[in-house]
Amino acid sequence: MRILLTGASGQLGRSLQRVLRDSDLITISRPEYDITKETIVDRICSIEPDIVIHTAAKTDVDECERDPESAYLVNATATKFIATACASCHARLVYISTDYVFDGSKHDSYNEEDPPGPINVYGKTKLAGEKYTQDLVSRNYVIRTAWLYGEGQNNFVKKILGLTGKPPIKVVTTQIGSPTSADDLALAIDKLVQFPEYGIYHLTNEGVCSRFEMAEAILQFSNLGDVPIQPISIYERPAPIPSRIVLKNKRAAALGIVLRPWREALRSFVECQ
Ligand SMILES: NC(=O)c1ccc[n+]([C@@H]2O[C@H](COP(=O)([O-])OP(=O)(O)OC[C@H]3O[C@@H](n4cnc5c(N)ncnc54)[C@H](OP(=O)(O)O)[C@@H]3O)[C@@H](O)[C@H]2O)c1
């Protein structure tokens, strides 16, 4: 089975490369492959993939808010091209989406069939990517995840560790979600694509916490001693952020795919930093 991976240099892309190292894996990345140009359709088809795992995205939520055109181009239009390629060469498509397709107003957890309602540009453009995936490719997996961390510099774990030794770290208690290890998610994706059961999936590490609780756990696991940390309720930023999103994993759990509790996964990651 030939697997084509986009976003190979990203957090999840790197984890998938490790998990799929014994597979017939082909990665495409810029500048050699520009997924925002329609020519990518034929170029993907010429590789003759059986499955495309599309992780590439503009993931900086505030940057998406500042530059919605570029966010739409990368998250939606490029996904349309990739889905068009999959339809034309009969490949299955795995599209990685986000908890931010929801607005966070539901008091309970979100099921796979709950109606989305994004409140920021990132969420809107990722939802548009979901729609292209579903409309163009019948054999699709739309995998929504949240609060990803993995190899790379651009995640909450690295941010918190980079702030130690300075004045008290201020972290919000008002954002609630599920921290998710890119390595754990990559393993789950590898298992999921063994099943010809298509559609939307919710995959995060199990459990839920606030950003403040996550920061406390990072500091605790890093053994850096007593680092001052201060809970705050408001953090001004360009993008509106949903206050509480918990993704309920119903469909993958029915196939026996459940990620471990978030604390356990976070501990393993932080101890290796
Ligand atoms: N990070 C999170 O907390 C989070 C939460 C929920 C869902 N997700 C979703 O999970 C997926 C993986 O996220 P991640 O955190 O692993 O992402 P990431 O570390 O930010 O990596 C993004 C990847 O996309 C590539 N990319 C960005 N713009 C591109 C373009 N114009 N053309 C080609 N490639 C481009 C990047 O390539 P370069 O190295 O060339 O920039 C990089 O490989 C994404 O689809 C994201 O929407 C992420």
Side-chain angles (χ1 to χ4, degrees), residues 109-126:
S109 49
Y110 285 93
N111 297 320
E112 290 90 346
E113 58 276 5
D114 276 328
I119 58 170
N120 56 36
V121 170
Y122 172 70
K124 286 175 189 166
T125 57
K126 291 293 293 183

Side-chain angles (χ1 to χ4, degrees), residues 54-76:
H54 176 37
T55 75
K58 194 173 172 80
T59 57
D60 183 325
V61 177
D62 290 328
E63 194 43 44
C64 288
E65 209 68 22
R66 284 188 211 101
D67 188 353
E69 257 178 47
S70 151
Y72 193 86
L73 181 67
V74 179
N75 295 345

Side-chain angles (χ1 to χ4, degrees), residues 3-23:
I3 305 168
L4 189 147
L5 174 66
T6 72
S9 60
Q11 303 187 89
L12 180 58
R14 291 186 211 197
S15 297
L16 281 163
Q17 287 194 71
R18 280 192 292 276
V19 168
L20 300 170
R21 61 183 172 272
D22 296 328
S23 310

Side-chain angles (χ1 to χ4, degrees), residues 97-214:
S97 190
T98 170
D99 55 337
Y100 285 179
V101 297
F102 295 115
D103 64 8
S105 63
K106 189 176 175 189
H107 295 299
D108 206 345
S109 49
Y110 285 93
N111 297 320
E112 290 90 346
E113 58 276 5
D114 276 328
I119 58 170
N120 56 36
V121 170
Y122 172 70
K124 286 175 189 166
T125 57
K126 291 293 293 183
L127 181 62
E130 285 192 8
K131 293 216 163 108
Y132 282 126
T133 299
Q134 292 157 334
D135 290 350
L136 295 169
V137 188
S138 53
R139 294 186 304 155
N140 72 74
Y141 305 86
V142 169
I143 298 175
R144 297 182 183 138
T145 190
W147 294 19
L148 266 190
Y149 59 84
E151 200 187 316
Q153 292 310 313
N154 196 18
N155 62 54
F156 189 71
V157 176
K158 294 287 164 60
K159 266 184 207 143
I160 294 297
L161 293 177
L163 287 171
T164 57
K166 294 178 188 153
I169 304 172
K170 295 181 183 172
V171 188
V172 282
T173 52
T174 46
Q175 253 183 57
I176 314 281
S178 304
T180 301
S181 148
D183 280 351
D184 287 11
L185 179 60
L187 286 167
I189 292 170
D190 183 35
K191 283 187 198 150
L192 181 61
V193 299
Q194 311 303 323
F195 294 91
E197 308 280 337
Y198 303 106
I200 298 174
Y201 288 90
H202 286 177
L203 287 174
T204 62
N205 279 116
E206 288 292 296
V208 56
C209 65
S210 69
R211 283 284 187 194
F212 179 76
E213 288 167 318
M214 183 181 176

